[in-house]
Amino acid sequence: MTTAPVRTDLYPTRGVGEVITPRQDPVVWSAPDAPGPIEPLELGTFERDGFLSVDQLIGPDEVSLYRAELERLITDPGVRADERSIIEPRTQDVRSVFEVHRISEVFARLVRDERVVGRARQILGSDVYVHQSRINVKPGFGASGFSWHSDFETWHAEDGLPNMRTVSVSIALTENYDTNGGLMIMPGSHKTFLGCAGETPEDNYKQSLKMQDAGTPSHDALTSLADQHGIKLFTGKAGSATWFDCNCMHGSGDNITPYPRSNVFIVFNSVENAAVEPFAAPTPRPDFIGARDFTPVR
């Protein structure tokens, strides 16, 4: 009689209490001199801080193209009614549309753009696939923010990503001011994994995409991390981009200004880090949130 191999969980979470685990994985998986659009000095900055900003990843004409496509998607009744669209509880505006690289050829081309996927391959040291894509829409006067969290905590617990070999890029389609609910990251927080307390409810994604609860760190833990690492707020013109490691502690505030903040968000995972069964959830989340198609981006 053969027995199934024991699955090693490098990053325990969703237990009785919070657990702190030092990072067990590299941050940059390729050699410093690996070919790609990121300079060696920039790779070093990414290794240290967990993020890297690009002042202009795409030009004004491209911004107009992608913003027009965003508007088309969020005003399409069929897209709004699709389960891939998340609606603001208070305003009933569209908050996010997931899997945009599958429902829009315009955004599919952006995913394949070497300026985008090339950086992902360089950081992760392998071919990559899209674990998740979405447009985040923060219209003025009331769009709610996202609580502090590590993406990897959710992707590990609920999607089954074994290792920290995943990177995200947020590309600004409107100007990101310091007042309209911009991205905040704790620099260096990616070197420590914070396993959160509490079990994962069934179909947790239905609630967490609107207002996260499970996988949210305690105020004491967040205060300790902020005291240790500080907080960086990202601003930038439309067309700028921020790359950040999957384990960065990050969040964003509400947008009560008149000025919208809309970004396209793409998550690349290494083909060598394909999702397995969730480490701390009853079942995997739907494919449009955590992909089970590991086909490399070409």
Side-chain angles (χ1 to χ4, degrees):
M1 179 179 177
T2 59
T3 58
V6 176
R7 186 175 68 158
T8 302
D9 183 355
L10 297 176
Y11 302 103
T13 189
R14 310 281 174 102
V16 175
E18 290 180 317
V19 180
I20 294 176
T21 304
R23 188 185 183 108
Q24 306 295 301
D25 295 304
V27 177
V28 176
W29 291 73
S30 63
D33 59 350
I38 308 176
E39 297 294 331
L41 186 61
E42 294 176 316
L43 275 179
T45 299
F46 187 88
E47 163 77 34
R48 181 193 67 207
D49 295 335
F51 58 81
L52 177 67
S53 293
V54 178
D55 289 338
Q56 187 176 54
L57 182 71
I58 58 176
D61 290 344
E62 294 170 294
V63 168
S64 297
L65 172 68
Y66 296 126
R67 190 149 55 191
E69 182 67 355
L70 179 149
E71 290 298 324
R72 184 188 72 80
L73 290 172
I74 65 174
T75 56
D76 183 327
V79 172
R80 181 185 174 91
D82 193 287
E83 65 173 345
R84 289 174 286 196
S85 294
I86 310 303
I87 308 302
E88 280 279 353
R90 287 183 294 176
T91 64
Q92 294 301 299
D93 291 328
V94 174
R95 175 186 176 96
S96 303
V97 179
F98 281 80
E99 217 170 35
V100 290
H101 72 295
R102 293 198 181 277
I103 63 177
S104 164
E105 178 54 34
V106 172
F107 285 117
R109 290 197 299 270
L110 178 62
V111 165
R112 298 191 297 266
D113 191 309
E114 190 60 27
R115 294 169 296 178
V116 177
V117 70
R119 284 178 167 86
R121 293 190 189 107
Q122 193 175 358
I123 290 169
L124 301 180
S126 69
D127 278 333
V128 297
Y129 70 92
V130 177
H131 177 70
Q132 184 186 104
S133 72
R134 67 180 187 261
I135 46 175
N136 284 338
V137 186
K138 271 195 173 180
F141 299 120
S144 56
F146 293 84
S147 300
W148 287 101
H149 63 286
S150 154
D151 286 330
F152 180 75
E153 193 280 335
T154 297
W155 299 338
H156 182 68
E158 300 186 38
D159 297 341
L161 296 192
N163 296 94
M164 295 180 183
R165 199 170 180 180
T166 316
V167 67
S168 301
V169 59
S170 178
I171 305 171
L173 301 183
T174 57
E175 184 157 358
N176 285 213
Y177 300 102
D178 58 3
T179 52
N180 65 342
L183 174 68
M184 295 181 287
I185 292 179
M186 297 183 187
S189 60
H190 62 304
K191 299 288 183 74
T192 302
F193 178 75
L194 179 61
C196 297
E199 294 184 353
T200 308
E202 189 76 35
D203 290 337
N204 179 55
Y205 74 94
K206 293 180 180 178
Q207 170 62 27
S208 67
L209 296 179
K210 298 176 182 178
M211 189 63 65
Q212 189 162 348
D213 186 13
T216 302
S218 69
H219 289 178
D220 286 346
L222 288 170
T223 301
S224 177
L225 285 170
D227 286 345
Q228 181 180 354
H229 298 291
I231 296 173
K232 164 73 173 176
L233 170 66
F234 292 88
T235 59
K237 300 286 188 182
S240 62
T242 300
W243 293 82
F244 58 102
D245 179 83
C246 58
N247 191 45
C248 284
M249 191 62 68
H250 67 287
S252 63
D254 295 351
N255 182 15
I256 60 171
T257 74
Y259 310 112
R261 176 184 173 267
S262 298
N263 293 41
V264 56
F265 183 80
I266 306 163
V267 180
F268 293 101
N269 188 39
S270 168
V271 295
E272 299 172 11
N273 189 44
V276 295
E277 288 302 303
F279 285 85
T283 56
R285 297 191 298 175
D287 288 6
F288 71 85
I289 303 174
R292 298 273 155 175
D293 179 351
F294 312 131
T295 305
V297 175
R298 295 284 187 239

